[in-house]
Amino acid sequence: IWEVASANDAWTIWLVLILVGFLSGSYYFSSIARHTLKTQAPFSIGALGNQALQSIILAVLLFGVLLGIAIPVIVLTGLLAALSPGLISAALFVAGLAIIWILMPLVLSPHGIFTFRQNAFDSIRTSALVANGNRAGIGMFVLSLLVLEQGLRILWSSPDSASWLFLVGILGHAFISTALI
């Protein structure tokens, strides 16, 4: 157990871990993108840094969009709760569908950053153009990916952590998750 001495230390550790996560995730996605392209692009620290920066910008933009949607939804559900407590479930269901409908065009944005080396705004624009023509198809594709990933996660995590099959589960989960990306 390690105790953090102050709130400033906690924020610093949190920020460092977020940055390390973005850098390692960017390296992972960049490696996948480089190895799946027809023409092999060489590894570049500068390109990786740019992709990590664009990923951070994309995450901040998506967080802002979610916050911009969540605040009115919270206010409306509060008003509906005052009118009729039974309406809350229906309102949250409709709000969830609206959020999915709004965010569906942004699903392919990270692929634009890492595969085509676009900036966050161009990647969002490209993703929206691709997704607007086929929202239902992309929605079913994303749903099938999520069901496959969650189902196989249950399979991979079923062995006891003391068993050697747990290592097989970790490697299998890494392989399948990489393939789904």
Side-chain angles (χ1 to χ4, degrees), residues 34-67:
R34 278 185 289 118
H35 290 293
T36 55
L37 293 174
K38 289 181 182 178
T39 58
Q40 292 286 326
F43 176 75
S44 167
I45 294 284
L48 179 65
N50 184 38
Q51 289 169 335
L53 176 66
Q54 296 306 319
S55 297
I56 291 170
I57 292 170
L58 180 65
V60 168
L61 287 172
L62 291 179
F63 181 75
V65 168
L66 282 175
L67 194 62

Side-chain angles (χ1 to χ4, degrees), residues 58-148:
L58 180 65
V60 168
L61 287 172
L62 291 179
F63 181 75
V65 168
L66 282 175
L67 194 62
I69 294 170
I71 290 173
V73 166
I74 291 170
V75 170
L76 287 175
T77 53
L79 290 173
L80 286 176
L83 296 174
S84 171
L87 291 176
I88 294 174
S89 297
L92 289 176
F93 178 74
V94 170
L97 287 177
I99 288 171
I100 290 171
W101 187 258
I102 290 169
L103 294 180
M104 186 57 65
L106 305 178
V107 167
L108 302 174
S109 295
H111 294 82
I113 290 173
F114 293 100
T115 304
F116 303 120
R117 297 187 177 195
Q118 295 177 325
N119 65 32
F121 298 104
D122 289 339
S123 178
I124 289 171
R125 190 174 312 116
T126 302
S127 177
L129 289 173
V130 170
N132 280 337
N134 194 11
R135 276 186 199 234
I138 289 178
M140 290 304 291
F141 177 68
V142 169
L143 181 64
S144 64
L145 289 179
L146 289 174
V147 167
L148 186 61

